[in-house]
Amino acid sequence: KKYIQIIDNQTKELDQWELALEDQIKIVKKCQQDMGLTSCTKCTKILECNIRKQYVRSVYESMSKGSGGGFEF
């Protein structure tokens, strides 16, 4: 089980969608670092970037908790 520190020294167990998002954040940050960038918006490949698309999908899934919906790229 993974936990994340939150305000006032309380911890919260991450659900599967939050864990997936944390993994995607690490992947995006590594890509930005490898490209020498501080943001995806500065990258010339942003519109066709699969790493960015998966990150955005993970953000949406963490917010909707996998309930789906009409979110398309």
Side-chain angles (χ1 to χ4, degrees), residues 33-55:
Q33 183 179 30
D34 291 347
M35 299 291 283
L37 302 170
T38 58
S39 170
C40 291
T41 58
K42 298 177 182 178
C43 183
T44 59
K45 300 176 185 179
I46 190 171
L47 295 179
E48 65 267 359
C49 180
N50 287 328
I51 292 172
R52 176 79 177 163
K53 287 178 185 177
Q54 186 57 46
Y55 165 73

Side-chain angles (χ1 to χ4, degrees), residues 18-35:
E18 292 167 322
L19 290 172
L21 177 57
E22 290 295 317
D23 289 341
Q24 282 306 128
I25 289 170
K26 289 176 189 173
I27 292 168
V28 167
K29 286 185 178 186
K30 171 130 179 34
C31 182
Q32 289 172 348
Q33 183 179 30
D34 291 347
M35 299 291 283

